[in-house]
Amino acid sequence: MLNSRKTNKMKFLVSVVITILSPLILGNAAGAQTNSAQTNSTEQEARINKLEDRILELEAQSALTKFRMSGVFINRYENLTLDHGLPDTDKTRESVHPLSMYLGLNVDFDVTKNLKFYSTFAMGKFFNNEDRVESLDPNSANGYNVYQATETGAMGYSGSVLKVDRAYASYEFDSLPLTLAIGRMPTNYGPPANQLDGLPRQGTYPRFIFNAIFDGVAAVWDFNKVPDATHTFKIRSFYQPFTLIDRSDRTHQAIDGQQLESSVLQYAVLAEYSLNDVKPWRRMDIMYMHAAWKQFYDGYAGTPGALGAPMTGQTEDGTDDGFYLGFEDIGYIGLNFSWTALLYQAVDSGAPDLQKKSWGHLFNINEKFSNGLVVGYEFVKTTPYFYLDEWTRLNLLPFYYLQNAQGHHVFVSFPMGEKVSGRVGYYRLVAGAGDVFQPEQFDAYSTYAQLRMSF
């Protein structure tokens, strides 16, 4: 009986304790479930964030593989002494010795496997000098060639405002040995200009055939799309129309005594043959280029000619035939040699000389040593009425394009560390009077020093 009472009393106490603690027990269990759910949610959110970060990282890496940046920064000092004047007159002496700089920033994209885009944003200027206009206003009485400004780009030393020196897209076909391109193309600083600093080829045209920036449409047939092929052969065709419209109203033609054609035809075809790794040289290049233009506008009203008479509405039909023969690493000792010849023929509509025919020759020989040092020499010779599109240059002395001229250039290029090189050189040039655009004689010499950084 006593045990029965104790048992009943114990049951009663246990039930009371359970009744009192049950809310706390249930509350703790619910809290544990809530905490567990919150923990799982936090872990899931962290995993999602990590996945998103990883996806963004992969997308960024993918974008970087399609996007490339590079550039060049050049600082230059040149000391030019120039005597010039009309024949049989006292000559005027001028001395120019500025510091200058050039920046070219390349931004290129692999849009797709076959479609590429290339661009160069550039600035060229003299130290602490702004707002120069290398090509004078073509509507002014003493204006220069209307096309010169577009062909010069940033190399006209106009100031610190960026210009677009290159902007073109190219598409390479899979089933054909063909690449098509359109835009503003690297038609300047071709061989052998790159050899002055021991660089690989930089431009399309040989520099003594065309050295200017051209806008246009191009087609390149590459008949040897095989790596390390002994023989390579390419044909490049260019359509480069020049545009003349009113400077303030795009609906009107430009006028200089008469209405001018709004679009002027110019085309060029360049054939290139290379022979690689065949002794006694590592590479031989043979190039031939033919270019032609019609109704090319050459003079604005008031531009004086050689006889003092203004040229009004002068147009020109002409052709260029260029030849380039180059040997690289002759004897496998780093010796390079090239010869470039340019035959210029034209018929002018309003100049004293109605028919013009002229030759120009450029010889380049240089030795590139195993330590990167380059020692070289150039010789240029032109006849009267010679013409070269030479609008992208950093040198002050117009060494390559003066008419009736003979000149010498010696240079030494040397490495100054990774991606940095220097070059020093000396120019000597004598030129007689030429056509209506060069009535003066010239006697000039120049020394220069250049620092080049690639990145």
Side-chain angles (χ1 to χ4, degrees), residues 144-208:
Y144 290 158
N145 189 316
V146 63
Y147 311 104
Q148 182 181 338
T150 182
E151 295 176 17
T152 300
M155 293 191 186
Y157 287 136
S158 57
S160 58
V161 177
L162 285 177
K163 293 193 173 185
V164 179
D165 279 1
R166 186 179 62 146
Y168 72 98
S170 69
Y171 184 85
E172 182 177 0
F173 290 86
D174 288 325
S175 57
L176 295 172
L178 174 65
T179 300
L180 297 178
I182 185 170
R184 192 158 170 79
M185 301 185 197
T187 51
N188 58 328
Y189 271 93
N194 55 297
Q195 295 180 10
L196 272 63
D197 294 302
L199 302 172
R201 182 173 176 175
Q202 304 289 296
T204 305
Y205 295 129
R207 68 103 54 241
F208 197 65

Side-chain angles (χ1 to χ4, degrees), residues 94-316:
E94 302 204 38
S95 179
V96 186
H97 42 86
L99 280 164
S100 62
M101 70 177 76
Y102 174 83
L103 167 68
L105 182 62
N106 306 316
V107 185
D108 304 329
F109 294 88
D110 294 337
V111 182
T112 65
K113 181 176 71 73
N114 300 87
L115 182 62
K116 316 292 184 184
F117 177 78
Y118 304 91
S119 63
T120 298
F121 301 91
M123 172 202 73
K125 72 186 301 291
F126 293 113
F127 276 36
N128 301 304
N129 182 279
E130 287 286 337
D131 298 327
R132 294 184 66 257
V133 182
E134 193 88 329
S135 302
L136 302 180
D137 183 349
N139 284 337
S140 67
N142 59 347
Y144 290 158
N145 189 316
V146 63
Y147 311 104
Q148 182 181 338
T150 182
E151 295 176 17
T152 300
M155 293 191 186
Y157 287 136
S158 57
S160 58
V161 177
L162 285 177
K163 293 193 173 185
V164 179
D165 279 1
R166 186 179 62 146
Y168 72 98
S170 69
Y171 184 85
E172 182 177 0
F173 290 86
D174 288 325
S175 57
L176 295 172
L178 174 65
T179 300
L180 297 178
I182 185 170
R184 192 158 170 79
M185 301 185 197
T187 51
N188 58 328
Y189 271 93
N194 55 297
Q195 295 180 10
L196 272 63
D197 294 302
L199 302 172
R201 182 173 176 175
Q202 304 289 296
T204 305
Y205 295 129
R207 68 103 54 241
F208 197 65
I209 297 177
F210 275 162
N211 190 39
I213 301 170
F214 286 98
D215 309 328
V217 181
V220 182
W221 290 89
D222 186 350
F223 295 97
N224 295 82
K225 297 178 67 174
V226 180
D228 302 322
T230 301
H231 304 270
T232 62
F233 181 63
K234 296 180 181 179
I235 295 179
R236 307 174 188 264
S237 59
F238 300 86
Y239 171 61
Q240 302 158 328
F242 285 92
T243 304
L244 278 172
I245 60 174
D246 185 89
R247 290 174 64 83
S248 59
D249 190 334
R250 69 184 70 178
T251 65
H252 295 323
Q253 291 177 252
I255 296 176
D256 182 23
Q258 59 184 341
Q259 287 183 336
L260 306 176
E261 289 292 331
S262 61
S263 184
V264 180
L265 169 67
Q266 175 168 288
Y267 71 87
V269 178
L270 176 65
E272 304 180 13
Y273 170 75
S274 297
L275 184 62
N276 303 292
D277 287 319
V278 176
K279 293 180 179 180
W281 50 73
R282 189 175 301 278
R283 180 182 177 95
M284 178 186 71
D285 289 300
I286 301 175
M287 304 183 197
Y288 167 71
M289 193 205 74
H290 176 75
W293 54 93
K294 290 185 68 66
Q295 294 186 314
F296 187 94
Y297 189 62
D298 244 355
Y300 278 86
T303 304
L307 303 181
M311 301 179 297
T312 303
Q314 175 182 314
T315 61
E316 178 179 279

Side-chain angles (χ1 to χ4, degrees), residues 195 283-287 324-328 337-339:
Q195 295 180 10
R283 180 182 177 95
M284 178 186 71
D285 289 300
I286 301 175
M287 304 183 197
Y324 177 85
L325 176 63
F327 299 93
E328 297 183 15
F337 171 81
S338 65
W339 163 68

